[in-house]
PDB file of all heavy atoms in Angstrom:
ATOM      1  N   VAL A  52      -7.228  -3.928  -9.153  1.00  0.00           N
ATOM      2  CA  VAL A  52      -7.644  -4.851  -8.086  1.00  0.00           C
ATOM      3  C   VAL A  52      -9.184  -4.955  -8.043  1.00  0.00           C
ATOM      4  O   VAL A  52      -9.727  -6.029  -7.840  1.00  0.00           O
ATOM      5  CB  VAL A  52      -7.076  -4.412  -6.726  1.00  0.00           C
ATOM      6  CG1 VAL A  52      -7.741  -5.138  -5.577  1.00  0.00           C
ATOM      7  CG2 VAL A  52      -5.582  -4.702  -6.692  1.00  0.00           C
ATOM      8  N   ARG A  53      -9.853  -3.818  -8.249  1.00  0.00           N
ATOM      9  CA  ARG A  53     -11.312  -3.833  -8.348  1.00  0.00           C
ATOM     10  C   ARG A  53     -11.735  -3.200  -9.663  1.00  0.00           C
ATOM     11  O   ARG A  53     -11.026  -2.351 -10.213  1.00  0.00           O
ATOM     12  CB  ARG A  53     -11.931  -3.092  -7.146  1.00  0.00           C
ATOM     13  CG  ARG A  53     -11.901  -3.896  -5.863  1.00  0.00           C
ATOM     14  CD  ARG A  53     -12.217  -3.083  -4.644  1.00  0.00           C
ATOM     15  NE  ARG A  53     -11.162  -2.145  -4.351  1.00  0.00           N
ATOM     16  CZ  ARG A  53     -10.041  -2.449  -3.705  1.00  0.00           C
ATOM     17  NH1 ARG A  53      -9.844  -3.655  -3.242  1.00  0.00           N
ATOM     18  NH2 ARG A  53      -9.119  -1.526  -3.488  1.00  0.00           N
ATOM     19  N   TYR A 165     -10.265 -14.528  -5.354  1.00  0.00           N
ATOM     20  CA  TYR A 165     -10.880 -13.300  -5.845  1.00  0.00           C
ATOM     21  C   TYR A 165      -9.849 -12.337  -6.468  1.00  0.00           C
ATOM     22  O   TYR A 165     -10.205 -11.327  -7.066  1.00  0.00           O
ATOM     23  CB  TYR A 165     -11.577 -12.552  -4.693  1.00  0.00           C
ATOM     24  CG  TYR A 165     -10.660 -12.374  -3.486  1.00  0.00           C
ATOM     25  CD1 TYR A 165      -9.729 -11.351  -3.437  1.00  0.00           C
ATOM     26  CD2 TYR A 165     -10.695 -13.279  -2.425  1.00  0.00           C
ATOM     27  CE1 TYR A 165      -8.870 -11.230  -2.367  1.00  0.00           C
ATOM     28  CE2 TYR A 165      -9.843 -13.162  -1.350  1.00  0.00           C
ATOM     29  CZ  TYR A 165      -8.928 -12.117  -1.331  1.00  0.00           C
ATOM     30  OH  TYR A 165      -8.060 -12.002  -0.274  1.00  0.00           O
ATOM     31  N   CYS A 166      -8.564 -12.621  -6.330  1.00  0.00           N
ATOM     32  CA  CYS A 166      -7.546 -11.571  -6.485  1.00  0.00           C
ATOM     33  C   CYS A 166      -6.756 -11.643  -7.801  1.00  0.00           C
ATOM     34  O   CYS A 166      -6.240 -12.695  -8.191  1.00  0.00           O
ATOM     35  CB  CYS A 166      -6.583 -11.633  -5.309  1.00  0.00           C
ATOM     36  SG  CYS A 166      -5.398 -10.284  -5.296  1.00  0.00           S
ATOM     37  N   GLN A 203       3.492  -7.643  -1.046  1.00  0.00           N
ATOM     38  CA  GLN A 203       2.125  -8.179  -0.985  1.00  0.00           C
ATOM     39  C   GLN A 203       1.965  -9.133   0.180  1.00  0.00           C
ATOM     40  O   GLN A 203       0.867  -9.322   0.690  1.00  0.00           O
ATOM     41  CB  GLN A 203       1.784  -8.912  -2.293  1.00  0.00           C
ATOM     42  CG  GLN A 203       1.732  -8.030  -3.515  1.00  0.00           C
ATOM     43  CD  GLN A 203       0.602  -7.024  -3.474  1.00  0.00           C
ATOM     44  OE1 GLN A 203      -0.250  -7.049  -2.604  1.00  0.00           O
ATOM     45  NE2 GLN A 203       0.596  -6.125  -4.435  1.00  0.00           N
ATOM     46  N   THR A 238       2.170  -5.862   3.497  1.00  0.00           N
ATOM     47  CA  THR A 238       1.094  -6.469   4.237  1.00  0.00           C
ATOM     48  C   THR A 238       1.469  -7.883   4.654  1.00  0.00           C
ATOM     49  O   THR A 238       2.270  -8.534   3.986  1.00  0.00           O
ATOM     50  CB  THR A 238      -0.144  -6.553   3.331  1.00  0.00           C
ATOM     51  OG1 THR A 238      -0.658  -5.243   3.145  1.00  0.00           O
ATOM     52  CG2 THR A 238      -1.246  -7.357   3.899  1.00  0.00           C
ATOM     53  N   PRO A 265      -4.994  -8.589   7.229  1.00  0.00           N
ATOM     54  CA  PRO A 265      -6.319  -8.730   6.598  1.00  0.00           C
ATOM     55  C   PRO A 265      -6.900 -10.124   6.816  1.00  0.00           C
ATOM     56  O   PRO A 265      -6.253 -11.119   6.510  1.00  0.00           O
ATOM     57  CB  PRO A 265      -6.027  -8.492   5.113  1.00  0.00           C
ATOM     58  CG  PRO A 265      -4.732  -7.783   5.062  1.00  0.00           C
ATOM     59  CD  PRO A 265      -3.943  -8.303   6.241  1.00  0.00           C
ATOM     60  N   GLN A 267     -10.168 -10.761   5.647  1.00  0.00           N
ATOM     61  CA  GLN A 267     -11.010 -10.823   4.420  1.00  0.00           C
ATOM     62  C   GLN A 267     -12.421 -11.331   4.702  1.00  0.00           C
ATOM     63  O   GLN A 267     -13.362 -10.895   4.036  1.00  0.00           O
ATOM     64  CB  GLN A 267     -10.396 -11.664   3.300  1.00  0.00           C
ATOM     65  CG  GLN A 267      -8.943 -11.349   2.952  1.00  0.00           C
ATOM     66  CD  GLN A 267      -8.688  -9.967   2.399  1.00  0.00           C
ATOM     67  OE1 GLN A 267      -9.622  -9.177   2.240  1.00  0.00           O
ATOM     68  NE2 GLN A 267      -7.441  -9.635   2.100  1.00  0.00           N
ATOM     69  N   ARG A 279      -7.926 -18.837   1.323  1.00  0.00           N
ATOM     70  CA  ARG A 279      -7.041 -18.042   2.181  1.00  0.00           C
ATOM     71  C   ARG A 279      -6.056 -18.891   2.989  1.00  0.00           C
ATOM     72  O   ARG A 279      -5.071 -18.385   3.524  1.00  0.00           O
ATOM     73  CB  ARG A 279      -7.877 -17.150   3.120  1.00  0.00           C
ATOM     74  CG  ARG A 279      -8.539 -15.998   2.407  1.00  0.00           C
ATOM     75  CD  ARG A 279      -7.529 -14.949   1.940  1.00  0.00           C
ATOM     76  NE  ARG A 279      -6.984 -14.168   3.039  1.00  0.00           N
ATOM     77  CZ  ARG A 279      -6.050 -13.238   2.861  1.00  0.00           C
ATOM     78  NH1 ARG A 279      -5.542 -12.994   1.669  1.00  0.00           N
ATOM     79  NH2 ARG A 279      -5.614 -12.554   3.897  1.00  0.00           N
ATOM     80  N   ASP A 305      -8.290  -5.790   6.287  1.00  0.00           N
ATOM     81  CA  ASP A 305      -9.124  -5.635   5.093  1.00  0.00           C
ATOM     82  C   ASP A 305     -10.250  -6.658   5.178  1.00  0.00           C
ATOM     83  O   ASP A 305     -10.032  -7.771   5.671  1.00  0.00           O
ATOM     84  CB  ASP A 305      -8.336  -5.976   3.802  1.00  0.00           C
ATOM     85  CG  ASP A 305      -7.158  -5.050   3.543  1.00  0.00           C
ATOM     86  OD1 ASP A 305      -7.004  -4.025   4.230  1.00  0.00           O
ATOM     87  OD2 ASP A 305      -6.366  -5.378   2.639  1.00  0.00           O
ATOM     88  N   ILE A 307     -13.703  -8.220   2.759  1.00  0.00           N
ATOM     89  CA  ILE A 307     -14.492  -8.203   1.533  1.00  0.00           C
ATOM     90  C   ILE A 307     -15.905  -8.656   1.894  1.00  0.00           C
ATOM     91  O   ILE A 307     -16.066  -9.666   2.584  1.00  0.00           O
ATOM     92  CB  ILE A 307     -13.884  -9.174   0.491  1.00  0.00           C
ATOM     93  CG1 ILE A 307     -12.498  -8.696   0.072  1.00  0.00           C
ATOM     94  CG2 ILE A 307     -14.808  -9.304  -0.717  1.00  0.00           C
ATOM     95  CD1 ILE A 307     -11.777  -9.613  -0.906  1.00  0.00           C
ATOM     96  N   PHE A 336     -14.409  -3.635   1.285  1.00  0.00           N
ATOM     97  CA  PHE A 336     -14.747  -3.565  -0.138  1.00  0.00           C
ATOM     98  C   PHE A 336     -15.890  -4.517  -0.444  1.00  0.00           C
ATOM     99  O   PHE A 336     -15.974  -5.604   0.141  1.00  0.00           O
ATOM    100  CB  PHE A 336     -13.543  -4.011  -0.990  1.00  0.00           C
ATOM    101  CG  PHE A 336     -12.235  -3.426  -0.567  1.00  0.00           C
ATOM    102  CD1 PHE A 336     -11.353  -4.141   0.244  1.00  0.00           C
ATOM    103  CD2 PHE A 336     -11.869  -2.142  -0.962  1.00  0.00           C
ATOM    104  CE1 PHE A 336     -10.137  -3.603   0.651  1.00  0.00           C
ATOM    105  CE2 PHE A 336     -10.649  -1.605  -0.570  1.00  0.00           C
ATOM    106  CZ  PHE A 336      -9.781  -2.332   0.223  1.00  0.00           C
ATOM    107  N   ILE A 337     -16.699  -4.127  -1.426  1.00  0.00           N
ATOM    108  CA  ILE A 337     -17.660  -5.089  -1.973  1.00  0.00           C
ATOM    109  C   ILE A 337     -16.874  -5.947  -2.973  1.00  0.00           C
ATOM    110  O   ILE A 337     -16.054  -5.422  -3.740  1.00  0.00           O
ATOM    111  CB  ILE A 337     -18.811  -4.349  -2.693  1.00  0.00           C
ATOM    112  CG1 ILE A 337     -19.660  -3.595  -1.673  1.00  0.00           C
ATOM    113  CG2 ILE A 337     -19.670  -5.325  -3.506  1.00  0.00           C
ATOM    114  CD1 ILE A 337     -20.836  -2.843  -2.253  1.00  0.00           C
ATOM    115  N   TYR A 338     -17.119  -7.244  -2.947  1.00  0.00           N
ATOM    116  CA  TYR A 338     -16.438  -8.149  -3.876  1.00  0.00           C
ATOM    117  C   TYR A 338     -16.602  -7.655  -5.322  1.00  0.00           C
ATOM    118  O   TYR A 338     -17.683  -7.272  -5.748  1.00  0.00           O
ATOM    119  CB  TYR A 338     -17.003  -9.569  -3.753  1.00  0.00           C
ATOM    120  CG  TYR A 338     -16.578 -10.457  -4.900  1.00  0.00           C
ATOM    121  CD1 TYR A 338     -15.287 -10.954  -4.971  1.00  0.00           C
ATOM    122  CD2 TYR A 338     -17.459 -10.742  -5.950  1.00  0.00           C
ATOM    123  CE1 TYR A 338     -14.880 -11.730  -6.044  1.00  0.00           C
ATOM    124  CE2 TYR A 338     -17.068 -11.514  -7.023  1.00  0.00           C
ATOM    125  CZ  TYR A 338     -15.776 -12.015  -7.068  1.00  0.00           C
ATOM    126  OH  TYR A 338     -15.377 -12.754  -8.137  1.00  0.00           O
ATOM    127  N   SER A 339     -15.510  -7.697  -6.050  1.00  0.00           N
ATOM    128  CA  SER A 339     -15.527  -7.253  -7.441  1.00  0.00           C
ATOM    129  C   SER A 339     -14.964  -8.402  -8.296  1.00  0.00           C
ATOM    130  O   SER A 339     -13.889  -8.927  -8.035  1.00  0.00           O
ATOM    131  CB  SER A 339     -14.618  -6.010  -7.524  1.00  0.00           C
ATOM    132  OG  SER A 339     -14.387  -5.638  -8.836  1.00  0.00           O
ATOM    133  N   ARG A 341     -13.105 -10.283 -10.956  1.00  0.00           N
ATOM    134  CA  ARG A 341     -11.915  -9.939 -11.734  1.00  0.00           C
ATOM    135  C   ARG A 341     -11.588 -11.018 -12.758  1.00  0.00           C
ATOM    136  O   ARG A 341     -11.727 -12.217 -12.476  1.00  0.00           O
ATOM    137  CB  ARG A 341     -10.688  -9.726 -10.817  1.00  0.00           C
ATOM    138  CG  ARG A 341     -10.840  -8.701  -9.731  1.00  0.00           C
ATOM    139  CD  ARG A 341     -11.475  -7.381 -10.162  1.00  0.00           C
ATOM    140  NE  ARG A 341     -10.667  -6.612 -11.085  1.00  0.00           N
ATOM    141  CZ  ARG A 341     -11.137  -6.047 -12.212  1.00  0.00           C
ATOM    142  NH1 ARG A 341     -12.376  -6.196 -12.593  1.00  0.00           N
ATOM    143  NH2 ARG A 341     -10.355  -5.357 -12.987  1.00  0.00           N
TER     144      ARG A 341
HETATM  145  N1  LIG B   1      -1.571  -8.692  -0.459  1.00  0.00           N
HETATM  146  C1  LIG B   1      -2.399  -7.970   0.374  1.00  0.00           C
HETATM  147  C2  LIG B   1      -3.241  -8.949   1.178  1.00  0.00           C
HETATM  148  O1  LIG B   1      -3.304 -10.098   0.902  1.00  0.00           O
HETATM  149  O2  LIG B   1      -3.808  -8.505   2.143  1.00  0.00           O
HETATM  150  C3  LIG B   1      -3.241  -6.910  -0.317  1.00  0.00           C
HETATM  151  C4  LIG B   1      -3.680  -7.164  -1.694  1.00  0.00           C
HETATM  152  S1  LIG B   1      -4.944  -6.250  -2.439  1.00  0.00           S
HETATM  153  C5  LIG B   1      -4.076  -5.113  -3.412  1.00  0.00           C
HETATM  154  C6  LIG B   1      -5.632  -5.219  -1.205  1.00  0.00           C
HETATM  155  C7  LIG B   1      -7.012  -5.635  -0.801  1.00  0.00           C
HETATM  156  O3  LIG B   1      -7.912  -5.521  -1.879  1.00  0.00           O
HETATM  157  C8  LIG B   1      -7.157  -7.078  -0.352  1.00  0.00           C
HETATM  158  O4  LIG B   1      -6.724  -7.277   0.941  1.00  0.00           O
HETATM  159  C9  LIG B   1      -8.630  -7.320  -0.528  1.00  0.00           C
HETATM  160  O5  LIG B   1      -9.340  -6.983   0.652  1.00  0.00           O
HETATM  161  C10 LIG B   1      -9.018  -6.349  -1.623  1.00  0.00           C
HETATM  162  N2  LIG B   1      -9.352  -7.053  -2.853  1.00  0.00           N
HETATM  163  C11 LIG B   1      -8.545  -7.782  -3.646  1.00  0.00           C
HETATM  164  N3  LIG B   1      -9.230  -8.315  -4.668  1.00  0.00           N
HETATM  165  C12 LIG B   1     -10.504  -7.906  -4.515  1.00  0.00           C
HETATM  166  C13 LIG B   1     -11.691  -8.130  -5.264  1.00  0.00           C
HETATM  167  N4  LIG B   1     -11.713  -8.888  -6.328  1.00  0.00           N
HETATM  168  N5  LIG B   1     -12.828  -7.552  -4.816  1.00  0.00           N
HETATM  169  C14 LIG B   1     -12.836  -6.782  -3.709  1.00  0.00           C
HETATM  170  N6  LIG B   1     -11.748  -6.541  -2.986  1.00  0.00           N
HETATM  171  C15 LIG B   1     -10.599  -7.097  -3.370  1.00  0.00           C
END
Side-chain angles (χ1 to χ4, degrees):
V52 167
R53 284 168 291 278
Y165 51 82
C166 186
Q203 295 294 352
T238 289
Q267 310 296 0
R279 287 291 287 177
D305 297 351
I307 296 177
F336 314 98
I337 292 181
Y338 166 75
S339 170
R341 304 314 294 133

